[in-house]
Each structure stands twice: as C-alpha cells, then as structure tokens.
Amino acid sequence: MALWLACWQPPALADAANTEVTQLKLERGDDGIYLSAMVQFNLPTLVEEVLEKGIAVYFVAEAEVYRERWYWVDTRVAQVARHMRLAYQPLTRRWRLNVSPVPITNAGFGASVVQNFDSLEDALDAVKRIGRLRLGDVSEIGDDPVQSVVFRFRLDTSQLPRPFQIGVVGQSDWNIAVERSVKLPMEKSR
C-alpha cells in the first residue's frame, strides 16, 4: 500500500487534451485587482451529445493569490471562483448560461446572471472568456512584490447527474482542465 502511494501522482491539470489558456491579464486598479482570461478547448463529441439531450454541464474558473514566503509554505491571500452552468432548452431551441460566484445546485440558482444564446458556439465563446474576475481589494491583497496568481479552469463533473458521474471515470472526453500561474503586477493599469 505504501509503495502504491509513493508511486501514485495526481493527473496534471495542464495535460488535458487541447485545453490551454491563450490569454491571461492581471490589472491593478484603484478599487481592486482583476483577472481576465481566454481559455481555448474543443468540446468533445460525447459532451456535446449530453448537452443536446438537455443535461446541464458545469464549468468552474478559479483564481487564487499567494504571497510567497521563503521560510514556510506560501500563504493564500485571496480566492475567487466563477461557476457556469450551460444547458440546452429543447422547447425554445436556445442555449442558457448561468454564471454565479457560488456553486449552482438543483436547490436553486441563487444570485446568478443568465444569458441566452442561439447557438452552442456562441454559448461556448462566453464560457471560454473570463472577463474582469475581481480577485479582491488592493488593501486586502497588499503590495508585496512577491505574489503569484494561480488560475484554473475545468469542467466540473461532480455536478453531473449520478449516472454520468459513474460513467465519466477514466474517460478522457470529460477531461477539460487547465492551470496557469503568473506573477502579480505591482503598478496600476491606466
């Protein structure tokens, strides 16, 4: 058992097939620090078929700000997430995207922004574009010169219906994930 644990390595998020962060921009403004990103991926045929049957698919974009320390592990200064629920509405033949700062559950959408699209391509373009995700106030994050931001984007299979959760284990079609790390800029954007 100990040998298995010593040899086992978790799968790398950046190794997901055809998933990459093509743009990542950090801005330090007067009222806060913002992250904008563009993620590129090809939606696998299996996931597209599930969507067309009316089953919602969930995506999560997360960002964490870390202050580096030489004497101990890095400390997390801020954390933010954007949860997206993409679903096809067969009666109206439109795509609906719910965007929320908290996980979207079947109990309700809570406070979320809803957008409707005529095509899957338009809806996926909105999912792939993360615009001005607020990381926090400048006073909360501080102006320490040694800070980094870790951005993650993934398809959240834990929110799929139970039969799909069992079926996705070991299938690469459901592996849409990427991670990228950058240093936080010190000067303000104008």
Side-chain angles (χ1 to χ4, degrees):
M1 178 72 170
L3 178 61
W4 181 79
L5 289 175
C7 295
W8 182 79
Q9 293 180 354
L13 289 176
D15 292 339
N18 299 325
T19 306
E20 65 178 328
V21 178
T22 56
Q23 295 177 358
L24 185 63
K25 181 179 176 184
L26 295 169
E27 298 176 74
R28 185 183 292 262
D30 291 331
D31 61 337
I33 298 174
Y34 296 91
L35 178 140
S36 297
M38 182 65 100
V39 178
Q40 197 61 262
F41 62 89
N42 296 323
L43 194 65
T45 307
L46 179 64
V47 178
E48 189 172 336
E49 289 173 2
V50 166
L51 275 167
E52 289 174 352
K53 291 180 181 176
I55 298 169
V57 173
Y58 299 84
F59 295 93
V60 179
E62 304 170 303
E64 296 175 328
V65 179
Y66 288 97
R67 181 174 298 122
E68 296 176 11
R69 299 189 292 187
W70 63 271
Y71 59 90
W72 198 251
V73 295
D74 297 345
T75 182
R76 185 172 53 205
V77 179
Q79 178 181 10
V80 66
R82 181 174 290 172
H83 299 267
M84 296 165 276
R85 178 185 185 270
L86 180 61
Y88 180 63
Q89 307 295 317
L91 291 175
T92 60
R93 296 184 182 180
R94 299 200 64 192
W95 296 89
R96 174 173 285 176
L97 178 64
N98 295 75
V99 180
S100 174
V102 295
I104 300 169
T105 64
N106 290 334
F109 296 129
S112 67
V113 175
V114 179
Q115 296 174 313
N116 291 306
F117 300 94
D118 292 328
S119 69
L120 176 59
E121 292 78 25
D122 293 342
L124 283 175
D125 284 344
V127 168
K128 295 174 183 179
R129 189 176 48 251
I130 310 299
R132 291 193 51 89
L133 184 62
R134 189 169 190 272
L135 299 178
D137 290 334
V138 176
S139 62
E140 292 172 354
I141 295 175
D143 56 358
D144 189 345
V146 189
Q147 291 183 347
S148 60
V149 176
V150 177
F151 172 74
R152 292 181 196 92
F153 180 88
R154 63 186 165 86
L155 173 67
D156 188 5
T157 56
S158 69
Q159 293 193 39
L160 290 171
R162 291 281 184 222
F164 286 99
Q165 288 182 19
I166 294 168
V168 301
V169 174
Q171 289 190 13
S172 63
D173 285 345
W174 293 93
N175 189 19
I176 297 174
V178 68
E179 179 177 305
R180 188 158 162 200
S181 183
V182 295
K183 296 291 182 190
L184 190 63
M186 291 307 302
E187 60 277 345
K188 273 195 299 189
S189 300
R190 296 185 195 260

